[in-house]
Amino acid sequence: MELHEAVRRRRAVRRFDPSPVAPRVLDRLVDLAARHPSAGGSAGRALLVLHRPDDVGRFWSAASDDVASPDRWLAGMMTAPVVVLCLADPGAYAERYARPDKVRARADLGSSPEDPATWPVPWWDVDTGMAGLLLWLAAVDAGLAGCLVGVPGHRWDTVREAFGVPAEHRVVAAVALGRAAPDQPPARRRRPVGDVVHDGTFGRPWTALGAEDA
Ligand SMILES: Cc1cc2nc3c(=O)[nH]c(=O)nc-3n(C[C@H](O)[C@H](O)[C@H](O)COP(=O)(O)O)c2cc1C
């Protein structure tokens, strides 16, 4: 599948066929996801792949308040045979940007770059989100489906404890993956490009440049 086709086909799928993802396919997905760009090539991001049914079940129990009586959303998400936790360690970014080759970049990070809480943009969350998107697109490319979801903040400790994740890692997102169940709800209507993309000045909607040539 070409990249543009995977991008166009990607949509949030929240109910899955629970059959397992073939090991070779999973290998490919994680290999592609691990190629995401990262600020400074920092080491502070991690993907934790849960593909054994017991681990996936433990994840939903740890991440949800109502796993015993799941609502429709949770019941659907729990059918995913694979869940990948996207984790980020801000301290590793601060360490990376304290190295000598980052003197100039460090100056852009405010007056106390050693304190990640003061960074203008949390690069660790940006990088980790990119990894999640690559994983999601790689799944679509492989004929699968997915959905990136948040993990409630008050559940992070429980999730970290369940899987031995060090306390300094943020649980940025979880990506549920698998084959889409039949009878999906209709795909969300896309906003026109001009609602999202501005041309030259903020507020001037992008219109297809090809149209100007005509
Ligand atoms: C950062 C982020 C967090 C999201 N969190 C959730 C979530 O907690 N629950 C959920 O059902 N979908 C979640 N989604 C999926 C979005 O709802 C979905 O991508 C959006 O509605 C656009 O639809 P589409 O992905 O089909 O284009 C999240 C997506 C992103 C990028």
Side-chain angles (χ1 to χ4, degrees):
M1 192 184 294
E2 300 281 348
L3 175 65
H4 68 91
E5 197 182 341
V7 171
R8 287 204 163 102
R9 277 196 194 184
R10 187 211 58 79
R11 54 168 296 199
V13 163
R14 302 181 176 93
R15 183 172 293 275
F16 298 85
D17 171 333
S19 58
V21 174
R24 217 178 297 161
V25 173
L26 196 50
D27 287 342
R28 181 179 153 85
L29 301 192
V30 298
D31 177 67
L32 291 175
R35 293 165 189 265
H36 69 89
S38 87
S42 303
R45 59 262 165 24
L47 298 175
L48 174 58
V49 185
L50 308 176
H51 57 103
R52 296 174 186 91
D54 178 51
D55 287 338
V56 174
R58 287 195 305 120
F59 166 71
W60 291 114
S61 298
S64 323
D65 296 332
D66 46 2
V67 79
S69 51
D71 61 13
R72 197 176 152 70
W73 178 85
L74 183 56
M77 294 302 295
M78 285 169 60
T79 57
V82 175
V83 175
V84 180
L85 303 188
C86 303
L87 307 166
D89 172 10
Y93 283 73
E95 275 171 34
R96 172 68 186 95
Y97 278 78
R99 303 235 303 256
D101 62 318
K102 286 290 175 197
V103 170
R104 200 206 55 76
R106 196 163 55 238
D108 299 339
L109 297 175
S111 54
S112 29
E114 65 285 354
D115 177 6
T118 67
W119 285 32
V121 175
W123 289 130
W124 40 93
D125 289 347
V126 173
D127 291 354
T128 308
M130 291 199 202
L133 177 60
L134 268 192
L135 186 62
W136 194 347
L137 285 174
V140 174
D141 179 56
L144 301 176
C147 190
L148 184 149
V149 300
V151 175
H154 70 277
R155 285 284 177 174
W156 285 14
D157 280 343
T158 330
V159 169
R160 285 187 288 234
E161 275 162 28
F163 298 103
V165 176
E168 57 277 13
H169 280 72
R170 294 164 55 71
V171 186
V172 176
V175 184
L177 298 171
R179 245 172 294 284
D183 302 326
Q184 291 291 324
R188 180 180 64 94
R189 271 194 64 203
R190 302 275 151 201
R191 286 166 178 272
V193 169
D195 276 12
V196 180
V197 184
H198 307 240
D199 181 3
T201 188
F202 194 92
R204 183 198 293 153
W206 181 269
T207 50
L209 294 182
E212 273 180 20
D213 297 340

